[in-house]
Amino acid sequence: QRLGLYEAAYGFSRLRTYTHVFLIWIGLLLIATIVLEILRKENFFTFAMLIASLGFAISLPILNVDAFIVNQNVQREIHAQKNNTVDLDAQYFLDLSDDAVPPMVKAYQTPSLPVPVREKIGAALACIQYTRETEDREYSWQSFQFSRYNADKALALVKKDLKGYAVDDSEYPNMVTTPAGEEFSCSPYYID
């Protein structure tokens, strides 16, 4: 219940998502323990615990945690825009991996997305794009990653649209000014 309250107030984060997945697997382990106790097969508890541990570890990449966080937080913001109750923490998106970029681009391109939400996502994408352009990004073929490739492909789709976001790199942290004139910091911060 406490986890649900945090998510209602602040949205999803990596830690909160990991906790949700862990709670599902610990619940399945509890059910398995009860069944093993009823069947008088307590010596299989270690095997059940191993299966639950492996299931937890395997379910995280299948879920694609960073993409899940973006999708959930954007949906949460869309539903909350009607009540003006919460504010999208798009700055948290800067701390996520390349797996978060394609869902951010998809959300940015959604025509029904409210303008304030679109501008925050666009500012986060502008920060990511600016960072990628200013870094020395020469990768050898051995370091190829599908996540990076998909992120680069997704950013190329909105490169023209992101020209309306001005990046000021004259001092730290870099700031992005949205087309509506709001400022957005390109410095990720950590909250969980």
Side-chain angles (χ1 to χ4, degrees):
Q1 185 178 4
R2 185 181 219 177
L3 183 61
L5 291 173
Y6 273 110
E7 286 161 1
Y10 304 111
F12 281 83
S13 67
R14 280 188 180 137
L15 181 60
R16 294 180 199 125
T17 305
Y18 295 157
T19 305
H20 264 293
V21 175
F22 180 75
L23 287 174
I24 291 168
W25 283 103
I26 207 78
L28 291 172
L29 180 60
L30 179 65
I31 292 168
T33 304
I34 293 169
V35 169
L36 290 173
E37 189 69 33
I38 291 170
L39 297 175
R40 303 250 182 227
K41 302 278 187 181
E42 295 88 5
N43 53 346
F44 286 108
F45 174 75
T46 306
F47 182 69
M49 194 169 67
L50 180 65
I51 296 285
S53 299
L54 287 174
F56 171 69
I58 291 170
S59 60
L60 293 178
I62 290 172
L63 177 62
N64 193 349
V65 173
D66 290 349
F68 176 81
I69 291 168
V70 170
N71 290 330
Q72 292 301 314
N73 286 350
V74 168
Q75 289 304 313
R76 175 181 163 268
E77 178 67 17
I78 289 170
H79 294 304
Q81 279 289 313
K82 298 171 188 167
N83 305 330
N84 284 332
T85 55
V86 296
D87 192 27
L88 179 66
D89 187 10
Q91 195 170 0
Y92 183 74
F93 294 167
L94 298 174
D95 188 38
L96 300 176
S97 71
D98 287 338
D99 287 330
V101 174
M104 287 172 58
V105 168
K106 183 178 177 184
Y108 181 77
Q109 292 178 325
T110 303
S112 62
L113 194 67
V115 174
V117 178
R118 173 177 280 122
E119 290 210 344
K120 288 179 183 180
I121 294 171
L125 288 169
C127 289
I128 292 168
Q129 181 179 20
Y130 178 79
T131 302
R132 285 172 175 263
E133 289 174 353
T134 57
E135 287 178 347
D136 183 22
R137 289 187 31 162
E138 292 295 321
Y139 298 111
S140 64
W141 66 272
Q142 298 97 332
S143 62
F144 176 80
Q145 298 175 359
F146 280 110
S147 296
R148 186 182 321 127
Y149 173 76
N150 291 334
D152 288 341
K153 219 166 83 170
L155 281 172
L157 293 173
V158 292
K159 186 173 186 167
K160 187 172 37 170
D161 297 336
L162 297 178
K163 294 210 184 276
Y165 294 84
V167 178
D168 178 17
D169 62 353
S170 60
E171 58 185 60
Y172 183 80
N174 296 341
M175 299 296 282
V176 172
T177 306
T178 66
E182 289 188 41
E183 286 194 337
F184 183 87
S185 175
C186 285
S187 175
Y189 57 89
Y190 303 91
I191 5 179
D192 270 333

